[in-house]
Amino acid sequence: MSSESTAEIIEATGRALCEHGYADLTMQRIAAESSVTSAAIHYHFDTKEELLNAFLDDLLDRFESRLACEARDPRERLNEFLDAVFEEPSSDHDDFPVAMMELKAQAPYHDVFRDRFVELDSVVQDVVATAVRDGIEDGHFDDADPEQVARLVATMMNGAHVRSVALGEETTRTREAIEWTLALYLGWQPGSEVRA
């Protein structure tokens, strides 16, 4: 199967997951969202779990590329991190947060899903901890435990996802809470002017 066909199947999986949810997601519904037949999808992905694992791998790769930042200044890296995480989703993906919550709910029962979410959490924590550590070393931030700050930020992000999906709360409120927390621990307000 060509890489274009695989990419099409992965994109179709995301659309079908958003439209039908995890429980009602089938290879046939994924095929209906693409130009590939369900038989062709079954040929390359034995199970729905295997296909969803490939979907989550792709999602993780795209998230990592969104978080990639060339800035040397750790304050700018944290600002860009928050911009990437709290970027407003397009209206085409209104159901995406719900679909992701459904996959997270499956993680206790599917190790492959759990592994992808552990990797995602690790990426978030690594980006934040590295920026905090660099900012402390450069004298931009107050002394703090970079790993604990990163864990707190990742936990708040996960909580934001739950609050957004289950309670309908705007994620901007969580961004404000994270910015307040970073200011409290680091003595620096995200979004403030970065001076080289």
Side-chain angles (χ1 to χ4, degrees):
M1 179 177 279
S2 71
S3 59
E4 293 85 16
S5 296
T6 302
E8 182 180 356
I9 292 169
I10 297 294
E11 289 173 19
T13 300
R15 288 190 300 273
L17 181 63
C18 288
E19 183 176 343
H20 302 287
Y22 175 81
D24 293 327
L25 184 67
T26 63
M27 298 294 201
Q28 190 161 357
R29 286 186 165 153
I30 294 167
E33 294 287 335
S34 72
S35 64
V36 180
T37 66
S38 59
I41 295 171
H42 275 292
Y43 180 77
H44 293 284
F45 298 98
D46 290 334
T47 64
K48 180 170 82 169
E49 182 180 72
E50 186 180 316
L51 178 52
L52 286 170
N53 186 45
F55 168 76
L56 288 172
D57 273 341
D58 179 70
L59 183 70
L60 182 61
D61 289 344
R62 287 186 289 122
F63 184 69
E64 284 185 282
S65 69
R66 272 185 34 210
L67 294 184
C69 176
E70 299 295 322
R72 290 183 44 83
D73 190 310
R75 297 166 297 180
E76 189 175 338
R77 291 198 318 257
L78 278 179
N79 276 325
E80 290 189 21
F81 165 80
L82 291 172
D83 288 344
V85 167
F86 291 102
E87 176 181 73
E88 286 298 314
S90 71
S91 58
D92 297 351
H93 299 92
D94 287 345
D95 294 328
F96 187 74
V98 174
M100 291 309 297
M101 182 69 74
E102 287 186 293
L103 288 179
K104 285 180 180 180
Q106 294 303 312
Y109 312 106
H110 299 276
D111 289 342
V112 293
F113 295 171
R114 177 182 292 138
D115 292 346
R116 296 295 80 68
F117 288 116
V118 166
E119 286 178 55
L120 183 62
D121 189 73
S122 180
V123 166
V124 167
Q125 289 194 52
D126 287 347
V127 168
V128 174
T130 301
V132 170
R133 191 175 301 105
D134 292 349
I136 292 168
E137 288 175 8
D138 292 350
H140 300 303
F141 303 151
D142 294 344
D143 193 29
D145 183 331
E147 282 71 26
Q148 289 292 20
V149 172
R151 183 175 176 79
L152 181 58
V153 168
T155 300
M156 292 174 79
M157 287 171 51
N158 280 312
H161 186 204
V162 172
R163 294 183 71 84
S164 174
V165 171
L167 307 177
E169 183 175 283
E170 293 292 322
T171 56
T172 54
R173 294 189 63 192
T174 300
R175 180 176 182 152
E176 291 167 1
I178 289 174
E179 289 178 352
W180 180 85
T181 301
L182 291 174
L184 179 69
Y185 282 95
L186 304 179
W188 170 77
Q189 179 66 46
S192 63
E193 185 179 347
V194 175
R195 294 188 183 105

